[in-house]
Amino acid sequence: MSLLQISEPGGSPTRRTARKRAAGIDLGTTNSLIATSIGGEVRTLADAGGAHLLPSVVHYGVDGVIGVGAAAKEQAAADPANVIASVKRALGKGFDELTGSGDYRQYRFDPARDTHAPAFLTAAGARDPAEVSADILRALARRAEDRIGEAIEGAVITVPAYFNDAQRQQTRYAASLADIKVLRLLNEPTAAAVAYGLDSKDHGNIIVFDLGGGTFDVSLLSLQKGVFEVLATGGDTALGGDDFDRLVADWLARQCGMEEIAPQDYPTMLRAANRARETLSVATQAELIWGGSRFSLSAAEFAKLAATLVRRTILACRRVLRDAGMETGDIDNVLLVGGATRMPLIRRAVAEYFGRNPLQDIDPDRVVAIGAGIQAEVLAGNQPADDFLLLDVNPLSLGIETMGELVEKIIHRNTAIPVSKSQEFTTYKDGQTAMALHVVQGERELVSECRSLARFSLQGIPPMVAGAAKVKVTFQVDADGLLSVFAEEASTGRKAEVLVKPSFGLDLDQVEKMLKESHDHARSDMAARALREARLEATRLMDAIDGAIGEDAELLEVDEHAAIDRAMDDLRKAMAGESAALIEERTEQLNNVSKDFAARRMNMTVGAALRGESIDAMESQSD
C-alpha cells in the first residue's frame, strides 16, 4: 500500500527537509565516545552492555580478528605486544619520540616503515597510529548504526587544543580510513564550552580545565550573548591521567623491590595502578596486589607522589591568564572536563587557585562528545547556524623567515580562527627573480628558535632593483586549524602555494617549552632582532654604495671617496660588535657622507631619461 501526500487546494506542496544523521566523536587517549541527537537532545550512545565509554584500545589477533574496547583491554596482560593503547599520543610523532618516551616500551616497530611515520608491528601486520585510530572510529560508527539504525553521514571529531598540524592531519586521515566524513575538527575545550554554554546559558569568562587520559588543555573562553570565543589556550600534550597511573605503577615497583618494570609486566601493573587511582577518587585508601603481596596506598601519599604533576596543571592555568591579561578574580566559572578531573587532589587544586568551586553539571567524561554532537547538528543543517557563533584560536604564532633569519609573524598566537591574513614582502637584491619562502611556527624572534613547517618558492619575479618587487604572502588557517600559504607577485600575477603538512616528530614538551622560552627570552630576543636588523640595513647600504662606486666612480671627488671609505670601515667595526645602537649610528654617518654622491647619480639618471624622452618625442613628430 503506497502513501499519498495530500495538500489543500491551491496550496503549495509541502516539502520535508531530509535530516542528515551527524555525530560528535570524542577520540580520546584512554576512552572514546560518540554522541548524536535522539529525540531532539544530543546524547552519548552506549553499547549493548550499557557502557558509554569505549576504551581506546585495539587488539590485533593472530587469527586476523581485530578487537576494540573492553574486550581488547582484557587481552593486555596475555598479549601486550598486540594490544595498542594510548594511540592518540602517537599521532604525529616520529620513531625516536615514540621509542624514547617509555610510553610504548612493550611494542615493536616496523623497520621498513618511514621513521617519520612509524608503525607498530602486530600479529595482523604493521599498523601506524592513524590506522589504529581508524579501527577505534569504525567501532564507534558501528555502535551508532546499531543504536539508531542508520549510518552516520558526517562527524565533528574533537582534538586537544594543542594538537599541532601533523596530529590534526593524522586525525583527519584516520577518519577517512574509517569512511567517516569530517565536518570539522573541534578543540576539546571548545566542545565542552558549547555543551555548557547551551545547557546553562552561562555568560562571562570561563576556564575549561580539561585533564584527560593522555593530554591536558586549559582554555579561557568568553561567553556573551551566544558568542563563544576562545581568548587564550595552553596546556601540556604530555600530561594526563596515564601519567598519574605511571606514578602509582612506579611506586608499586619500588615497594616490590624492582629497579625497572619488565615490558611484559608493564600493562598489568598500569591496570592495577589505574584501579587504585580510581579508588582514591572515592576513598582515602587503595590496595594493590602484586606477586602475592598486598600494598596499601593512602590518598595523602598519592597526593605527595602527584604534587609535581598537579603543579604543572596550575602553572598552565597561570600562563593562560597571563596571555589574556586577566587575573583569577576575572573568572566567572571553571569547567572540569576529562575523567582525570575526578581526582579530589585536582579538584582541590583548581578550587584553591581560582577561588571558586568548579562546575560539574555534566559528566566530565561525556561533555566533550556532547558539545561535538551539538556542533555536528549545526554543521549538518539540523539546527539553525545562528543559534550560536563559535570562534576558536590559533595556539601558536605562524610566520615567515625574512633576511637575517628573522621571523615575521603573520598570524599571531591566540588569533581567532578561521582566519586569513596577508603581508607584502619585497626582494633583497637587484635583479632577484625568485623568492624562497620558509614557513615557521613559534613565539621567538629567530628562525632557529622556532619550528619549521614548510618551504616553497615563487619563481618568475621580473628583474628589478632591490625593494621594487611586491610579493603578497597570505596565510589561511581553516576551522580545523590547518594552514595554507599563498604567495603572489603583483605585476605578473605569478603565484605559488603550499598546504602545510609538517614533518612528524615534534617533542612532547616542545609546545609548552616554546611558550615558556618566549616569555623567558623576550628581552634578549628583541635585542637579537634589533641587532640583526641593524646589521642587515648596514649590509644593504654598503652593498648599494659598493655597486654605485663600481659603476660611477668618476662622479666621486678624491676626498669624498676617502670619507666614504672611512665611514664604511667604521661601520664594519661596529657590525663586528653587539651594539645595535652603534651600528645604526654608523649607518646614518655613512648615509650622510654618501648622500651628495647619491644625489649626483640620481640627477645623472634623470637627465639621461629626459634626454631619451625628448629624442623619442622628436622622432615621433617627424614621422
Side-chain angles (χ1 to χ4, degrees):
M1 180 178 178
S2 61
L3 297 176
L4 299 177
Q5 179 175 314
I6 301 174
S7 60
E8 293 294 329
S12 300
T14 58
R15 292 185 179 180
R16 183 182 298 273
T17 303
R19 182 181 181 85
K20 295 180 180 178
R21 179 56 70 179
I25 294 177
D26 177 6
L27 183 61
T29 306
T30 307
N31 297 294
S32 297
L33 300 95
I34 186 166
T36 192
S37 179
I38 299 177
E41 180 184 359
V42 173
R43 308 174 189 171
T44 56
L45 303 179
D47 62 13
H52 289 256
L53 298 178
L54 175 74
S56 301
V57 183
V58 184
H59 176 235
Y60 295 96
V62 292
D63 52 2
V65 175
I66 299 175
V68 181
K73 196 173 180 179
E74 291 298 323
Q75 297 292 326
D79 193 14
N82 291 308
V83 176
I84 311 298
S86 298
V87 70
K88 183 175 179 177
R89 276 191 168 183
L91 288 170
K93 302 298 187 292
F95 177 80
D96 291 340
E97 193 170 6
L98 292 188
T99 56
S101 69
D103 295 346
Y104 303 95
R105 67 187 78 176
Q106 70 268 37
Y107 302 120
R108 294 175 299 124
F109 293 90
D110 185 359
R113 290 287 189 101
D114 186 346
T115 56
H116 292 304
F120 301 100
L121 275 177
T122 74
R127 293 288 191 277
D128 66 35
E131 292 170 322
V132 178
S133 299
D135 287 327
I136 298 170
L137 291 171
R138 285 191 194 95
L140 291 171
R142 283 195 300 269
R143 174 186 292 188
E145 190 168 353
D146 293 342
R147 177 69 175 80
I148 62 179
E150 56 183 305
I152 295 298
E153 296 181 56
V156 169
I157 301 178
T158 61
V159 294
Y162 258 70
F163 252 24
N164 60 49
D165 296 307
Q167 292 163 315
R168 291 171 189 266
Q169 291 279 10
Q170 282 219 309
T171 301
R172 183 178 282 276
Y173 177 54
S176 70
L177 293 176
D179 292 323
I180 295 175
K181 179 183 178 182
V182 178
L183 300 175
R184 180 175 178 183
L185 297 180
L186 183 64
N187 285 348
E188 290 163 4
T190 307
V194 170
Y196 266 101
L198 292 180
D199 286 0
S200 63
K201 303 297 182 185
D202 212 345
H203 296 269
N205 298 320
I206 291 183
I207 286 286
V208 180
F209 185 101
D210 184 352
L211 184 62
T215 56
F216 169 59
D217 293 295
V218 57
S219 296
L220 173 56
L221 302 98
S222 173
L223 277 66
Q224 296 292 338
K225 297 180 181 179
V227 177
F228 293 70
E229 183 176 4
V230 184
L231 300 181
T233 187
D236 192 333
T237 56
L239 180 60
D242 291 351
D243 297 282
F244 289 83
D245 291 344
R246 289 188 186 91
L247 286 176
V248 177
D250 291 339
W251 173 87
L252 179 58
R254 290 194 298 272
Q255 304 308 304
C256 297
M258 299 181 188
E259 292 185 4
E260 188 175 347
I261 303 173
Q264 64 270 19
D265 293 335
Y266 195 66
T268 309
M269 192 166 277
L270 273 181
R271 289 182 64 191
N274 177 257
R275 285 193 296 268
R277 177 169 66 87
E278 291 178 351
T279 298
L280 291 173
S281 294
V282 294
T284 59
Q285 203 84 9
E287 289 192 343
L288 299 91
I289 300 174
W290 188 264
S293 299
R294 187 183 299 269
F295 303 94
S296 181
L297 177 64
S298 69
E301 191 168 4
F302 175 55
K304 289 181 181 178
L305 290 174
T308 300
L309 297 183
V310 174
R311 193 176 303 116
R312 281 168 64 181
T313 69
I314 299 304
L315 287 174
C317 294
R318 185 175 292 129
R319 282 194 294 271
V320 166
L321 289 179
R322 182 176 59 192
D323 286 346
M326 290 189 182
E327 303 290 340
T328 55
D330 299 319
I331 303 303
D332 298 296
N333 276 307
V334 180
L335 278 59
L336 293 184
V337 178
T341 61
R342 288 192 172 90
M343 290 186 287
L345 72 169
I346 289 293
R347 296 188 177 191
R348 284 196 303 270
V350 172
E352 288 172 7
Y353 178 70
F354 288 102
R356 67 187 69 249
N357 289 323
L359 293 179
Q360 302 166 49
D361 300 340
I362 305 176
D363 184 339
D365 276 319
R366 301 190 201 180
V367 62
V368 168
I370 290 171
I374 293 170
Q375 177 72 352
E377 286 291 287
V378 173
L379 296 178
N382 300 330
Q383 183 177 328
D386 57 1
D387 275 9
F388 64 86
L389 176 63
L390 178 60
L391 301 176
D392 226 326
V393 297
N394 183 58
L396 288 172
S397 296
L398 298 164
I400 202 161
E401 179 180 354
T402 59
M403 288 300 297
E405 297 183 351
L406 296 173
V407 177
E408 184 66 28
K409 296 181 179 71
I410 294 180
I411 297 179
H412 287 268
R413 164 174 158 74
N414 284 331
T415 298
I417 61 172
V419 64
S420 177
K421 289 194 175 183
S422 300
Q423 193 163 323
E424 232 176 45
F425 295 88
T426 189
T427 50
Y428 181 73
K429 291 189 175 181
D430 293 345
Q432 186 175 333
T433 59
M435 181 179 288
L437 296 109
H438 182 197
V439 182
V440 296
Q441 179 184 44
E443 306 308 311
R444 304 290 295 275
E445 297 296 325
L446 304 183
V447 169
S448 59
E449 304 295 342
C450 291
R451 181 183 178 222
S452 175
L453 293 183
R455 296 176 185 268
F456 68 111
S457 62
L458 176 65
Q459 306 287 337
I461 300 174
M464 308 179 193
V465 296
K470 294 181 179 180
V471 177
K472 182 180 179 181
V473 178
T474 302
F475 277 49
Q476 290 184 353
V477 181
D478 67 15
D480 295 333
L482 303 178
L483 171 67
S484 299
V485 184
F486 309 85
E488 180 178 3
E489 198 280 317
S491 64
T492 62
R494 294 267 187 171
K495 296 181 181 180
E497 63 184 89
V498 62
L499 173 65
V500 175
K501 295 181 180 178
S503 59
F504 300 106
L506 187 66
D507 293 337
L508 288 172
D509 291 330
Q510 188 169 351
V511 173
E512 183 182 4
K513 283 177 60 181
M514 288 167 78
L515 294 176
K516 184 177 184 301
E517 288 172 357
S518 70
H519 289 295
D520 294 345
H521 300 279
R523 289 191 177 183
S524 60
D525 281 356
M526 292 306 297
R529 183 181 186 93
L531 180 60
R532 293 202 181 194
E533 287 178 341
R535 285 172 174 166
L536 274 173
E537 179 60 23
T539 301
R540 185 200 61 76
L541 178 61
M542 289 194 295
D543 286 348
I545 291 175
D546 281 338
I549 292 175
E551 293 178 8
D552 299 306
E554 67 277 3
L555 297 178
L556 276 172
E557 300 290 339
V558 174
D559 291 346
E560 187 179 29
H561 200 316
I564 290 176
D565 284 344
R566 285 194 300 272
M568 290 181 75
D569 285 340
D570 289 343
L571 180 53
R572 289 189 188 97
K573 291 175 183 176
M575 289 174 65
E578 301 294 321
S579 172
L582 181 60
I583 296 172
E584 290 169 357
E585 178 186 324
R586 298 286 169 82
T587 300
E588 185 60 28
Q589 289 175 0
L590 179 57
N591 249 324
N592 290 334
V593 299
S594 62
K595 64 182 180 181
D596 290 341
F597 173 49
R600 287 195 294 274
R601 290 190 77 238
M602 180 64 72
N603 291 338
M604 183 182 70
T605 302
V606 171
L610 290 175
R611 286 194 298 275
E613 279 187 21
S614 300
I615 294 171
D616 291 341
M618 286 188 292
E619 287 179 348
S620 63
Q621 288 174 2
S622 63
D623 290 338

